[in-house]
Amino acid sequence: MSQKYYVVWIGLNPGVYDSWEACKQQVEGWKGAVYKGFDTREEADEAINMPPENFIEKKTPEHKGGRKKQDKSIPPEVIRQALAVDAACSGNPGQMEYRAVYLGDMEEKFHFGPILGTNNIGEFLAIVHALALYKSRGLDWPLYSDSHNAILWVKAGKCRTKLERTPDTEAVFERIESAERWLRENTFRNVILKWDTKKWGEIPADFGRK
């Protein structure tokens, strides 16, 4: 079998991988992951710097089994070339998940969970995930979050959760450590903006479970 190279545009760690097993680790379980195999390294290296739509036919949410994009109006003062992130948690702690929606087309761009955690942890991880995605794609877009605490935690580089670390919560603490390590080892120019829920309504990435 000839060598294949895999481009991951959206996943745990976007990039070029030289085996399916390595690619699978980045996309398995990640709702909305976008990836494709190429015959040569040169093709893959070129593709990673281009929009995935150039190589993959865009499907509607009905075709790919994802959520339908939300029909929300965006106030004119909100920057549309940006991601909005949000988290939801069934209980506190409980089953937590987070996601990002691109305000330009209101479609979900990444999703993670559920995993045992808290809402504030999810908000923190969502922001860092979006920042890492921005950096991997060379994007200087702003980012919206409706969580004051999570924004402060990201700026401090530390998830200041009071959740107890136990065997049941070990998985989410591993993700926290990964996010904190990314913040220590990377710089970013993206502005993190507080979503004004009172003025604009629920953030478009909201899970609608209130």
Side-chain angles (χ1 to χ4, degrees):
M1 182 181 294
S2 60
Q3 171 79 49
K4 294 279 285 188
Y5 298 88
Y6 298 86
V7 173
V8 177
W9 287 278
I10 298 178
L12 178 60
N13 291 299
V16 177
Y17 296 88
D18 59 7
S19 73
W20 166 242
E21 285 304 316
C23 173
K24 184 179 178 181
Q25 292 178 19
Q26 311 308 316
V27 303
E28 188 173 44
W30 285 76
K31 183 174 173 57
V34 179
Y35 57 97
K36 181 179 174 63
F38 292 86
D39 292 330
T40 68
R41 178 75 192 208
E42 290 73 18
E43 290 177 309
D45 286 340
E46 181 178 355
I48 189 63
N49 296 312
M50 300 178 70
E53 292 80 11
N54 289 10
F55 306 93
I56 301 173
E57 181 180 356
K58 189 174 181 180
K59 298 180 180 179
T60 64
E62 290 84 355
H63 287 158
K64 62 183 181 182
R67 291 182 181 87
K68 292 183 180 179
K69 60 183 179 182
Q70 299 183 37
D71 184 16
K72 290 179 180 285
S73 59
I74 299 295
E77 62 268 36
V78 172
I79 301 168
R80 297 195 65 123
Q81 189 161 288
L83 289 178
V85 298
D86 198 27
C89 193
S90 300
N92 197 32
Q95 291 300 306
M96 175 273 293
E97 56 190 315
Y98 66 77
R99 67 176 183 146
V101 168
Y102 175 54
L103 298 181
D105 60 12
M106 302 298 283
E107 289 199 9
E108 183 179 273
K109 296 305 177 185
F110 64 72
H111 176 272
F112 175 79
I115 187 174
L116 184 62
T118 69
N119 194 74
N120 279 335
I121 290 174
E123 301 276 10
F124 170 81
L125 293 175
I127 294 174
V128 179
H129 187 157
L131 291 173
L133 178 61
Y134 279 174
K135 182 148 193 176
S136 72
R137 300 295 302 278
L139 301 174
D140 60 1
W141 299 352
L143 173 67
Y144 286 96
S145 168
D146 63 4
S147 174
H148 178 72
N149 285 340
I151 293 173
L152 291 179
W153 289 358
V154 169
K155 290 181 177 179
K158 186 73 175 177
C159 180
R160 303 190 185 281
T161 181
K162 295 181 180 179
L163 181 67
E164 183 181 359
R165 188 165 190 165
T166 68
D168 289 338
T169 61
E170 181 63 25
V172 78
F173 272 94
E174 289 177 357
R175 294 200 66 82
I176 290 171
E177 290 175 345
S178 177
E180 290 176 341
R181 182 169 58 253
W182 188 92
L183 290 171
R184 288 194 303 271
E185 297 175 354
N186 292 272
T187 58
F188 57 89
R189 296 178 299 166
N190 310 88
V191 179
I192 305 172
L193 300 172
K194 176 68 168 63
W195 183 267
D196 191 339
T197 304
K198 185 175 181 180
K199 184 177 180 181
W200 301 331
E202 295 295 344
I203 194 166
D206 179 65
F207 283 83
R209 299 175 187 166
K210 296 180 178 63

